[in-house]
Amino acid sequence: MISRFASATRFFQPVSRTIFSFNMSTSDTNTPSHEECMCSSSVKSTPEIEKNFVHRVYDAIAPHFSSTRFAKWPKVAAFLNSLTPGSVILDAGCGNGKYLGLNPDCFYIGCDISPSLIEICSKRDHEVLVADAVNLPYRDNFGDAAISIAVLHHLSTEMRRRKAIEELVRVVKKGGLVLITVWAVEQEDKSLLGKWTPLFTKYDDEWVDQSISPTRNQSSMNLERIPETEAVLQGLEDENQLMNGKPSSGIGESSDNTQQEYFVPWHLPYHRAEVSGASAVAVENGFAKKDDKKGAVVYNRYYHVFAEGELQRLVSGINNAAVVDQFYDKSNWCIVLKKT
């Protein structure tokens, strides 16, 4: 493993379990055109809904979230265990790192947008860094395989979801495999849908503030600056109507009007230590709410749940990726790609 790691340093500066933000990928490809750069910049700029209802939420709930994430999905474990010994595996959106090191014969590098989750990984001696799924910090053809487990459904536009897939394909070698799993509209437990809040506001690329750097600035993530939930939603809706001159409809709805955009609650128990700090501020500012009946602070997480065939449609426009397997497992749509 040491010799393999030494070889890998040509492509990536090892983090040696040091936490830092890294958002610029390096590529050996030709310099893109001005138009391509503008489009790429727009896709990589994080929409407000993801900042407020994904990034900030996971930073706030990270220790509690991690304590509930220990079981490995058999299908993911089987994929990792099938890889050739010595393979370099990139886990994009690694969370608390539960899959890092699963196959001890492989080398793993994990990244996640949440510094709080990356800190947990670091304390477990994993090789990790803070990075964005739509702008992975690896050179082309770096890894032997990549995984994205329960990540893409937190991206709020189709362009960003497609870009995240393109990034996974870009960073693996020719012949490399990519496993992607996402939450499905077709939930096995139908009662769950009734516990989620459907969203009808149209979230679109135009709402991304182009003055915001695509690099996530940790110093600007104070909960005190988070507006109230209702204000965020109303502000996005008003802005969209202003630019389009008409009321908006949900982008997450498929052609048959299937609801796909939701807020999914996370209940942070009062007895958790983090309630006394960040969560108290979040409640005070309307970003989270108390549920005394359940004895918890409730955060909303943004989800775009995937309809059957949606992953395949996103992949269909990627020229150097072929679908080698696709399946439904535990209320998730899953796909395995091979770089061609």
Side-chain angles (χ1 to χ4, degrees), residues 47-292:
E48 289 299 312
I49 190 168
E50 292 177 35
K51 292 180 183 178
N52 292 328
F53 300 105
V54 180
H55 300 179
R56 295 176 179 178
V57 173
Y58 280 103
D59 279 346
I61 69 173
H64 183 232
F65 175 81
S66 178
S67 71
T68 68
R69 294 301 187 268
F70 48 86
K72 280 77 172 177
W73 290 0
K75 294 283 189 180
V76 178
F79 174 83
L80 294 174
N81 285 324
S82 72
L83 299 173
T84 304
S87 293
V88 173
I89 303 172
L90 309 175
D91 187 346
C94 63
N96 69 345
K98 71 176 183 178
Y99 291 112
L100 300 177
L102 186 144
N103 180 346
D105 295 326
C106 296
F107 178 78
Y108 297 77
I109 301 175
C111 67
D112 200 281
I113 197 67
S114 169
S116 298
L117 287 172
I118 288 299
E119 183 177 5
I120 291 171
C121 293
S122 178
K123 290 177 179 178
R124 295 175 177 177
D125 292 332
H126 294 308
E127 298 289 345
V128 291
L129 69 161
V130 177
D132 196 329
V134 300
N135 194 21
L136 294 177
Y138 315 115
R139 293 188 179 181
D140 297 358
N141 310 307
F142 171 38
D144 298 291
I147 61 174
S148 172
I149 310 303
V151 175
L152 264 63
H153 49 230
H154 286 310
L155 302 179
S156 59
T157 71
E158 182 173 315
M159 287 181 65
R160 285 172 60 76
R161 294 188 284 271
R162 183 187 300 274
K163 179 62 176 175
I165 297 175
E166 290 174 346
E167 281 291 275
L168 292 165
V169 174
R170 178 184 67 78
V171 299
V172 298
K173 300 172 183 176
K174 186 175 181 179
L177 298 176
V178 175
L179 170 64
I180 301 170
T181 76
V182 293
W183 281 20
V185 170
E186 302 83 358
Q187 291 288 305
E188 293 176 354
D189 183 358
K190 301 297 184 183
S191 67
L192 283 176
L193 297 175
K195 299 176 182 178
W196 303 347
T197 303
L199 302 179
F200 299 100
T201 303
K202 178 177 170 62
Y203 299 108
D204 214 339
D205 287 326
E206 289 89 341
W207 298 338
V208 177
D209 184 351
Q210 297 302 322
S211 67
I212 299 175
S213 168
T215 302
R216 186 177 181 212
N217 184 354
Q218 289 178 242
S219 64
S220 67
M221 305 307 286
N222 295 329
L223 285 171
E224 289 88 344
R225 299 179 59 185
I226 300 173
E228 293 189 3
T229 299
E230 293 80 4
V232 171
L233 295 177
Q234 187 60 50
L236 290 172
E237 185 172 11
D238 290 347
E239 185 176 350
N240 183 69
Q241 291 185 21
L242 220 100
M243 290 192 298
N244 293 304
K246 58 183 179 180
S248 59
S249 58
I251 66 162
E253 297 182 5
S254 59
S255 57
D256 61 355
N257 294 321
T258 300
Q259 177 67 37
Q260 292 182 257
E261 310 293 310
Y262 289 95
F263 274 160
V264 178
W266 183 270
H267 294 83
L268 186 64
Y270 286 161
H271 68 269
R272 298 294 300 193
E274 51 266 45
V275 167
S276 62
S279 292
V281 177
V283 170
E284 181 180 349
N285 287 277
F287 175 56
K289 64 179 181 180
K290 286 186 175 182
D291 186 335
D292 291 330

Side-chain angles (χ1 to χ4, degrees), residues 18-29:
T18 300
I19 304 171
F20 62 93
S21 293
F22 192 87
N23 227 151
M24 297 299 293
S25 59
T26 54
S27 174
D28 297 325
T29 57

Side-chain angles (χ1 to χ4, degrees), residues 323-340:
V323 177
V324 296
D325 195 12
Q326 50 192 311
F327 53 93
Y328 176 88
D329 183 55
K330 300 183 184 300
S331 297
N332 284 257
W333 288 114
C334 313
I335 196 167
V336 179
L337 309 176
K338 183 176 183 178
K339 185 170 182 176
T340 58

